[in-house]
Amino acid sequence: MMDKIMRFLTKEHALIGLSITRIFFGIALLYELLINIPIRYLLWGPKGLVPFAEYRADMMERHVWTIFDLSPTEWMVDLVIFGGILICLLYIIGFQTRIMGVLMFVIMFSLYMRNLDITHGGDNILRILLLYIMFTSVGRYFSVDQWLKKRREKKAKPPSWLSRSQLLTDSKAVIHNFAWLACVIQLVFMYFSSGSYKIMGSLWQNGTGLYYASRVQDFFNPDLTPLLWKSDLIMILMSYGTVLFQVAFPFLLLNRFTKYVAILSACMLHIGIAAFMGLVDFSWIMIGCEMMLLTNTDFYRLRDYSRQIRKRFRASSEQKEVQIATTIEQAK
């Protein structure tokens, strides 16, 4: 029993999924920085929506420090924004991933605390999970770091004593796995608590919660949202379905097959939120979070399954072409 536990702990899990999550998170923060460049001084400047003196008093009360404390000037805002853009790009491509991961968290935390009035649920989950995934190996796939590592291995350069240390390797794996589990627990708790709070609300109990949520002007898509209101039955079923899914989410992950259903349902839910409520950045972050729930084995299994489907499709197409050619020959 202890041997199985040790083997589990000393083998890094969900490396592909976490690497994809890294890319999602990097794009999310990059998008937020880019679209706010024209109004950066208004949002985070010393004379913006939250003056520096007011911000500093709040941070002193919270005993919090951010990059903005270095200087109450506009050039510091520029440094954070444009430096953050560069960090996001390097994080996305996976260059010096561990260092960029730390800097990503510092940038995100500083922006979050500098103006709490403009934050949303996606910013909150991003701020929390960026802290956890700093300790995971998010650069193992789809990264420049891994490409450079393979190049070094091809040159047959002897590994350093650090890379040969089994104790160090096992310790890194244990830290990675606990950080990954912390991310999963955070995600599970978020879904379950969200569903539990909905159950206690009278609007969700009578099936009208989704209707009233979609009527809020801040979360309204004039082109698509009115389509939901045309059917009372659909609104009621979607309201109850959302609550049922969120409460059942932790338990669906306990089985391999129901886990796929949970992840697919979560992605569809957040695609719907993006389309009908306009919360694109929040949905993007949440879909990125779902990727870390899939293990490497899951991705390999999905790859093999997709290959089988493509082979069957090609075989079916070739068979139809042969039948058509045969029919034409017979007609002649």
Side-chain angles (χ1 to χ4, degrees), residues 214-215 220-231 276:
S214 64
R215 296 290 296 191
F220 177 80
N221 185 335
D223 297 322
L224 295 177
T225 307
L227 298 176
L228 294 175
W229 305 336
K230 293 184 177 181
S231 173
F276 292 97

Side-chain angles (χ1 to χ4, degrees), residues 265-329:
S265 300
C267 292
M268 292 175 62
L269 170 66
H270 290 295
I271 290 173
I273 291 174
F276 292 97
M277 302 183 71
L279 298 175
V280 178
D281 45 355
F282 168 74
S283 298
W284 178 265
I285 292 169
M286 292 308 303
I287 291 174
C289 292
E290 310 302 334
M291 297 299 103
M292 69 176 67
L293 298 176
L294 293 169
T295 64
N296 288 9
T297 303
D298 293 325
F299 279 103
Y300 295 144
R301 188 179 291 117
L302 291 172
R303 180 198 61 188
D304 295 339
Y305 182 67
S306 64
R307 286 177 177 175
Q308 290 177 5
I309 292 177
R310 285 199 300 269
K311 287 181 179 178
R312 291 176 183 175
F313 180 77
R314 289 173 185 169
S316 177
S317 299
E318 291 174 357
Q319 186 176 2
K320 287 181 180 179
E321 290 176 359
V322 171
Q323 290 176 350
I324 292 172
T326 303
T327 303
I328 293 173
E329 289 294 330

Side-chain angles (χ1 to χ4, degrees), residues 7-19:
R7 282 197 298 270
F8 176 83
L9 290 176
T10 55
K11 178 185 176 182
E12 293 180 333
H13 299 279
L15 291 170
I16 298 177
L18 283 166
S19 298

Side-chain angles (χ1 to χ4, degrees), residues 28-42:
L29 185 54
L30 178 64
Y31 169 77
E32 185 169 336
L33 292 173
L34 289 175
I35 65 172
N36 288 316
I37 287 178
I39 56 173
R40 61 189 182 277
Y41 299 136
L42 175 65

Side-chain angles (χ1 to χ4, degrees), residues 93-119:
I93 66 174
F95 180 74
Q96 295 294 326
T97 315
R98 289 194 181 275
I99 297 174
M100 294 305 126
V102 175
L103 295 177
M104 278 278 294
F105 171 75
V106 172
I107 293 293
M108 183 63 212
F109 181 78
S110 297
L111 293 171
Y112 185 92
M113 299 305 297
R114 182 62 182 84
N115 190 346
L116 294 169
D117 297 330
I118 62 172
T119 58

